[in-house]
Amino acid sequence: MADQKHDPILDMEEDQDMEEAQVMLGFAEPVDLEEHGPLRAEDFCSKIGGLPLWLNPENVLDTKEMLCEQCTKPMTFLLQLYSPEDHPAEAFHRVIYVFCCKDGACHKKSPRGCFKVVRSQLGQYNPYYTPVAEDHENAAEENAGFAPLEDSKHAKTCFVCGMQGPKTCSKCHKVSYCSAEHQAIHWTKGLHKSLCGTNPPPPSVDSAIDSELADMSIASTKSSSEEESIEEEEEEYDEDGNLIEKNKSKKLTRTLTRAEQEYANRLDIDFKLVERRNRFPEMEIISEAEVFDPEALEEGLGHESSGDEQEAEEGWEERAAALKAKREKKLAEQAKKNGKDVSKSLANAEASNNALVPVGDELYENTKTDIDSAFLTFQKRIALYPDQVLRYARMEYELVTPEPLYVSDIDIPRPEDIPCCPDCQGPRSFEFQIMPQLINYLAIDHSASDALDFGTVLVYSCKENCHVAGKHYQHEIALAQHFSEDGMQGGNMHAGTSVSVESK
């Protein structure tokens, strides 16, 4: 995009006439291992937790760039969002990575630098991925001659956190780590102390197949006495019924011996022990367009399902009637308890219906002293899709980017909180926000005094997606806003500190 001078007054008038872009919502879903298998970088997926899937496997992020500014310990990978854009050409593949400190005490001590964000991007033609998808109509032509970078040339990654792993176990030289701290975690909390230096059991003497550990099926329950099987590819025919000639390949498989099965199980346990202690549970992020009825939104009517446009538009009258009945019952109980005339109280409530708004299961007067207006708007908006964990706003540049959904009137980010991109000096724009519902998927002990907590995390990135040759990760801005005291009283939310700003 070329730089142009604009009149701010005219820009404001034009923005008012422009249509606002639709928000895409993100929902957390379990990874379907049986149907799809483990998530891979070439899937170009968005996900929560687990280990980061690096867009650039040859150049992995150094953990030194992701240290908490309070405790100076390595941060934990929170989520990644695959968000390709048309311009520039280097943003054909584009991923935003978000990291956070798991220690809630750091967030309470000072929110600064407890969340960090980096952007990684690649052009369409790169050493790692085919130029077009395999099912593309011109795949054969476009992908001709493409050979992906050998796995041996991929960067080594830390077994614990998935970041750059320049250190290796001095005994077995097989496992990599980002730091001595993470090596100690694997040694003491995982099973590496007992597995270090060991090798997979050799195949049985009768076996004619050299089995690699990576091909072991941990879920296999068949006995070792079962015979090997040979599966041939099924014959394929063209539209005229002619047999398609192709090189026939045979897939040789066999079940594991007891020793092999036990060794594979120990590797699996080792992985899960470290995962549960040091990573957030892995979930896939599925996106759906936000659909809502403004009139229903004013009434504070929640929608239990999410993502289906027809469902989102049906049943509003029934829900409005149910809400009215609930309101009348509540007011009648309050009037009776206070010794007031029930019919008069209901009449007054009907006349001043706009002054009463539902938040959760309670009713509150809509005043500045009882509840902050931003939190009220937040509660009513998310009630339509209560399970949303992410809101993506930067959909189309020709439309107005929706404003963030703030959780409080207090500490709304100021322009100076969002500095220009340090690489191109261009402006950053709001891209997406992480919702507090995400905390429900992070396996956090909410009763702990140092539990991680936040209201929302706002992510701003370079509007031009600037590319710097030789720079594989560019820092962006993460702002964490927390619930106000009034918001907590209105919606039973937990306390937190104000605004968290990444210093980069």
Side-chain angles (χ1 to χ4, degrees):
M1 297 183 183
D3 293 333
Q4 298 180 357
K5 300 289 186 180
H6 294 289
D7 185 319
I9 297 179
L10 293 177
D11 285 347
M12 186 178 298
E13 292 176 352
E14 290 177 1
D15 286 347
Q16 291 174 350
D17 295 333
M18 291 177 67
E19 179 184 354
E20 187 175 276
Q22 188 175 33
V23 173
M24 292 296 291
L25 305 179
F27 300 90
E29 291 191 3
V31 179
D32 192 341
L33 294 175
E34 291 187 4
E35 179 69 22
H36 180 274
L39 298 177
R40 304 169 301 167
E42 52 266 38
D43 295 327
F44 303 121
C45 59
S46 298
K47 76 183 191 85
I48 301 160
L51 295 173
L53 300 176
W54 301 111
L55 182 65
N56 188 328
E58 196 175 8
N59 298 280
V60 172
L61 188 64
D62 190 334
T63 188
K64 294 177 182 177
E65 296 190 52
M66 289 291 122
L67 299 179
C68 172
E69 294 184 14
Q70 302 307 317
C71 64
T72 68
K73 292 182 179 180
M75 287 185 163
T76 301
F77 169 67
L78 181 61
L79 62 82
Q80 66 185 75
L81 197 64
Y82 180 70
S83 53
E85 297 198 0
D86 295 332
H87 302 285
E90 291 84 2
F92 183 87
H93 293 298
R94 180 175 176 275
V95 177
I96 300 291
Y97 297 92
V98 182
F99 295 78
C100 75
C101 181
K102 289 184 71 173
D103 190 347
C106 289
H107 296 256
K108 294 174 183 177
K109 178 182 177 182
S110 175
R112 188 175 185 83
C114 292
F115 286 93
K116 290 189 176 182
V117 180
V118 291
R119 167 171 53 94
S120 176
Q121 52 194 39
L122 290 171
Q124 180 178 7
Y125 299 93
N126 60 78
Y128 317 116
Y129 310 104
T130 56
V132 299
E134 295 296 341
D135 57 356
H136 190 277
E137 59 182 357
N138 297 325
E141 179 181 351
E142 290 286 341
N143 299 336
F146 173 80
L149 187 74
E150 298 175 6
D151 289 349
S152 61
K153 295 183 179 180
H154 288 191
K156 294 181 186 258
T157 58
C158 176
F159 181 88
V160 175
C161 67
M163 305 287 276
Q164 189 180 104
K167 302 179 183 297
T168 58
C169 176
S170 59
K171 183 178 179 181
C172 67
H173 302 287
K174 293 181 178 179
V175 186
S176 300
Y177 304 100
C178 68
S179 62
E181 179 184 357
H182 279 187
Q183 183 176 7
I185 287 174
H186 190 200
W187 187 266
T188 59
K189 306 302 179 183
L191 298 182
H192 191 62
K193 186 175 182 179
S194 60
L195 288 170
C196 183
T198 63
N199 295 305
S204 59
V205 178
D206 296 335
S207 174
I209 304 172
D210 183 15
S211 184
E212 295 291 337
L213 178 63
D215 296 328
M216 289 182 177
S217 173
I218 296 174
S220 174
T221 57
K222 297 179 181 180
S223 66
S224 59
S225 61
E226 289 183 320
E227 296 181 355
E228 299 168 2
S229 63
I230 299 179
E231 298 178 2
E232 294 189 8
E233 292 186 4
E234 294 183 359
E235 295 179 340
E236 295 183 9
Y237 297 85
D238 59 22
E239 296 179 354
D240 298 326
N242 300 316
L243 178 66
I244 299 176
E245 293 293 336
K246 59 181 180 179
N247 295 328
K248 293 194 175 184
S249 60
K250 296 181 179 181
K251 180 181 178 183
L252 303 179
T253 63
R254 69 176 179 83
T255 56
L256 304 179
T257 63
R258 182 181 296 277
E260 289 173 326
Q261 184 71 64
E262 290 178 352
Y263 188 82
N265 286 341
R266 292 178 69 195
L267 291 178
D268 187 50
I269 293 171
D270 177 46
F271 183 86
K272 289 179 178 177
L273 284 173
V274 174
E275 179 181 50
R276 291 173 184 174
R277 182 177 177 84
N278 299 279
R279 309 173 199 139
F280 294 122
E282 186 174 54
M283 305 282 286
E284 189 170 6
I285 298 177
I286 306 300
S287 62
E288 299 177 7
E290 181 184 43
V291 180
F292 66 93
D293 186 315
E295 294 182 2
L297 188 63
E298 287 300 317
E299 286 293 332
L301 300 174
H303 176 47
E304 295 182 356
S305 62
S306 61
D308 189 284
E309 183 172 353
Q310 183 175 356
E311 289 182 2
E313 295 177 351
E314 291 178 350
W316 291 111
E317 292 183 2
E318 290 80 358
R319 285 193 282 276
L323 177 65
K324 181 179 180 181
K326 181 179 179 180
R327 180 185 295 125
E328 290 178 348
K329 180 180 179 181
K330 184 77 174 180
L331 290 172
E333 292 174 351
Q334 292 176 343
K336 187 176 181 180
K337 181 179 180 180
N338 297 330
K340 296 180 180 180
D341 182 79
V342 174
S343 59
K344 185 176 181 180
S345 296
L346 291 176
N348 291 338
E350 186 68 27
S352 59
N353 188 41
N354 292 333
L356 294 170
V357 292
V359 181
D361 292 328
E362 302 295 333
L363 293 172
Y364 298 90
E365 293 183 7
N366 187 15
T367 66
K368 292 183 179 180
T369 57
D370 290 332
I371 188 171
D372 74 40
S373 58
F375 178 78
L376 177 62
T377 301
F378 176 85
Q379 284 288 76
K380 291 198 294 183
R381 186 68 173 259
I382 68 171
L384 300 171
Y385 299 86
D387 296 329
Q388 60 184 282
V389 299
L390 186 140
R391 297 175 64 85
Y392 191 87
R394 202 167 80 175
M395 295 297 297
E396 301 179 59
Y397 279 118
E398 60 269 21
L399 301 180
V400 175
T401 298
E403 286 292 312
L405 195 56
Y406 300 113
V407 301
S408 172
D409 288 327
I410 302 172
D411 291 319
I412 289 177
R414 301 161 299 175
E416 53 265 36
D417 293 327
I418 311 166
C420 291
C421 173
D423 294 316
C424 68
Q425 306 307 315
R428 285 183 168 111
S429 64
F430 172 58
E431 184 164 356
F432 65 91
Q433 71 184 102
I434 301 170
M435 305 298 282
Q437 291 89 327
L438 178 67
I439 296 175
N440 298 328
Y441 297 93
L442 301 183
I444 291 174
D445 180 5
H446 299 289
S447 64
S449 59
D450 60 349
L452 173 65
D453 195 15
F454 59 83
T456 187
V457 180
L458 313 176
V459 174
Y460 295 80
S461 60
C462 177
K463 190 172 183 179
E464 301 294 336
N465 300 312
C466 69
H467 171 72
V468 179
K471 193 171 185 177
H472 307 291
Y473 298 93
Q474 293 168 266
H475 284 261
E476 301 295 4
I477 295 296
L479 305 175
Q481 191 189 34
H482 295 262
F483 297 104
S484 67
E485 292 295 332
D486 290 338
M488 290 185 298
Q489 293 171 5
N492 296 322
M493 296 294 181
H494 298 288
T497 47
S498 55
V499 176
S500 170
V501 184
E502 180 191 346
S503 62
K504 293 288 184 180

